[in-house]
């Protein structure tokens, strides 16, 4: 019996998505990409889940695209390959635009598409031993889809270094570039991610985080004038929400807010 490509479970308002192909270093194939999209969609609709965590089984977080799978696609037509690429694009887009916060828990190397998977998450915790890199140019491939998100995250200069030379970097270097938020020892990684997710759950309005995340994604597409007009409209919209009214009332009454 073939193991499921991912495992999902819930714990105290956190939806966990665990990559489950450790024997393949959690390499991405069509089945895993579809399963990830379905899991994210299911947790988005689950009112009990406020934050998601993407983690992995085994020593590697994700080694990127399954090379045997890529080789099998070489006989495809352009249209067939485009459909397959669109599936990965949809996965990354769903993570980047999800109204819920998604944290990457990186316990091992994150390479190529696996580095892309970590890149599109909102926050990332990694062990110091992890390596990161976009190695596609070394095998005649290109880091096409993730480039769109990487440029937004760390800027053109640093993105060029990662994408064009294809070398691996340490977790310390990844943090310095803005690719990783926090470095945590392996024995504390699970607990630290859990604690941070719980902090977001307890102290922040889910609606406010969703609107703020949406604005971060959308405002970068706009001119200065368009961005400010959009921001003003969203500011006005937020004032009328139930969460804003609840939060301001609790603050004025010096009450603890139960989000």
């Amino acid at each position: 019996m073939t193991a499921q490509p991912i495992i999902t479970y819930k714990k105290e308002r956190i939806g966990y998505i665990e990559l489950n192909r450790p024997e393949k270093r959690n390499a991405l194939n069509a089945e895993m990409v579809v399963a990830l999209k379905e899991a994210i969609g299911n947790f988005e609709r689950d009112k009990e889940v406020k934050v998601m965590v993407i983690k992995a089984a085994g020593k590697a977080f994700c080694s990127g695209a399954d090379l045997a799978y890529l080789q099998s696609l070489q006989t495809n037509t352009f249209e067939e390959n485009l459909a397959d690429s669109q599936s990965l694009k949809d996965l990354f887009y769903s993570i980047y635009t999800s109204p819920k916060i998604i944290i990457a828990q990186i316990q091992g190397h994150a390479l190529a598409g696996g580095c892309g998977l970590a890149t599109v998450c909102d926050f990332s915790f990694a062990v110091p031993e992890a390596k990161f890199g976009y190695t596609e140019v070394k095998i005649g491939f290109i880091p096409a889809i993730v480039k769109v998100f990487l440029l937004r995250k760390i800027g053109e200069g640093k993105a060029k270094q990662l994408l064009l030379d294809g070398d691996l970097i340490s977790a310390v270097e990844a943090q310095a570039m803005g690719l990783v938020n926090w470095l945590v020892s392996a024995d504390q990684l699970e607990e630290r991610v859990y604690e941070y997710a719980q902090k977001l759950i307890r102290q922040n309005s889910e609606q406010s985080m969703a609107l703020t995340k949406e604005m971060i994604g959308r405002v970068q597409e706009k001119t200065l004038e368009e961005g400010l007009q959009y921001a003003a409209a969203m500011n006005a919209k937020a004032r009328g929400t139930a969460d804003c009214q609840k939060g301001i009332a609790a603050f004025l009454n010096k009450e603890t807010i139960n989000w």
Side-chain angles (χ1 to χ4, degrees):
M1 184 176 178
T2 304
Q4 294 296 313
I6 66 168
I7 296 170
T8 61
Y9 59 96
K10 295 187 290 186
K11 179 182 178 182
E12 298 175 31
R13 302 195 73 187
I14 305 171
Y16 285 93
I17 302 171
E18 183 172 353
L19 310 185
N20 190 41
R21 299 184 73 212
E23 74 287 353
K24 296 290 186 181
R25 297 189 300 159
N26 296 310
L28 298 168
N29 60 13
E31 183 183 14
M32 180 180 276
V33 170
V34 169
L36 283 167
K37 287 190 291 185
E38 290 178 352
I40 289 165
N42 289 338
F43 280 146
E44 280 184 2
R45 293 184 289 272
D46 190 334
K47 294 183 179 179
E48 294 181 359
V49 171
K50 190 170 178 180
V51 173
M52 294 183 231
V53 172
I54 297 179
K55 56 188 293 191
K59 294 182 178 180
F61 176 72
C62 180
S63 60
D66 189 313
L67 294 183
Y69 174 66
L70 280 181
Q71 188 175 36
S72 71
L73 298 179
Q74 291 181 348
T75 58
N76 281 3
T77 64
F78 171 81
E79 287 73 20
E80 290 170 332
N81 278 323
L82 179 59
D84 185 77
S85 297
Q86 293 275 16
S87 183
L88 181 63
K89 178 266 291 179
D90 291 343
L91 169 62
F92 285 179
Y93 184 80
S94 71
I95 295 171
Y96 188 77
T97 62
S98 173
K100 298 189 177 180
I101 302 301
I102 302 180
I103 302 170
Q105 180 176 311
I106 307 163
Q107 91 298 356
H109 299 342
L111 310 178
C115 195
L117 183 62
T119 295
V120 295
C121 290
D122 301 304
F123 302 109
S124 55
F125 290 75
V127 297
E129 300 80 13
K131 299 288 187 184
F132 296 82
Y134 298 93
T135 56
E136 288 89 342
V137 292
K138 293 188 174 183
I139 62 167
F141 197 41
I142 61 170
I145 298 168
V146 71
K147 183 188 325 95
V148 177
F149 302 99
L150 186 65
L151 285 166
R152 287 181 164 218
K153 190 158 196 171
I154 67 173
E156 182 177 324
K158 293 173 183 176
K160 277 186 174 180
Q161 178 185 335
L162 290 174
L163 300 175
L164 294 178
D165 74 21
D167 288 343
L168 301 185
I169 61 172
S170 69
V172 172
E173 291 173 302
Q175 184 185 37
M177 284 187 169
L179 202 59
V180 170
N181 294 102
W182 297 280
L183 300 185
V184 183
S185 62
D187 62 335
Q188 296 182 356
L189 181 63
E190 184 89 19
E191 182 180 0
R192 283 286 301 278
V193 171
Y194 170 80
E195 289 176 350
Y196 188 75
Q198 286 301 320
K199 184 183 84 164
L200 297 178
I201 289 167
R202 290 192 304 269
Q203 77 177 19
N204 296 343
S205 154
E206 182 174 1
Q207 185 180 61
S208 295
M209 288 193 295
L211 286 175
T212 301
K213 179 176 173 178
E214 177 186 344
M215 288 187 68
I216 291 169
R218 292 191 178 278
V219 76
Q220 297 176 74
E221 307 164 355
K222 303 180 184 299
T223 65
L224 175 61
E225 292 79 8
E226 291 170 344
L228 287 170
Q229 187 58 41
Y230 168 64
M234 292 296 281
N235 184 301
K237 177 181 177 180
R239 295 181 192 190
T241 63
D243 275 14
C244 185
Q245 293 169 8
K246 174 182 175 180
I248 291 174
F251 178 79
L252 292 175
N253 294 324
K254 298 182 179 180
E255 299 171 346
T256 301
I257 308 173
N258 181 18
W259 292 118

